[in-house]
Amino acid sequence: MKAEGTNLCWICGQPIDLGLPPNHVMAWTLDHYVPLSLGGDPLDPANAREAHRRCNSARGNGPPPNHVRTTREW
Ligand SMILES: [Zn+2]
């Protein structure tokens, strides 16, 4: 079994249909692991994550959803 360019949403883990129109809620978007508002690098591929538009916007500029909660205040 090979994953041939399967695009998975890094937030919900579900496949992303690249055939959907860009304004579709489940369309492909490029999210940033470290939000730009928190100093994330928009040009760093290591900071880029694929996500559904819905998941991306639902997350907003909050911390990564699966990130272990710490006592650190941001
Ligand atoms: Zn998603």
Side-chain angles (χ1 to χ4, degrees), residues 8-16 25-26 50-56:
L8 294 177
C9 172
W10 79 282
I11 296 176
C12 73
Q14 296 302 306
I16 304 173
V25 290
M26 298 301 279
E50 296 171 305
H52 295 116
R53 173 172 297 284
R54 182 189 66 176
C55 297
N56 194 345

Side-chain angles (χ1 to χ4, degrees), residues 2-24:
K2 63 174 183 177
E4 44 183 27
T6 303
N7 299 78
L8 294 177
C9 172
W10 79 282
I11 296 176
C12 73
Q14 296 302 306
I16 304 173
D17 186 347
L18 300 182
L20 294 173
N23 60 349
H24 193 282

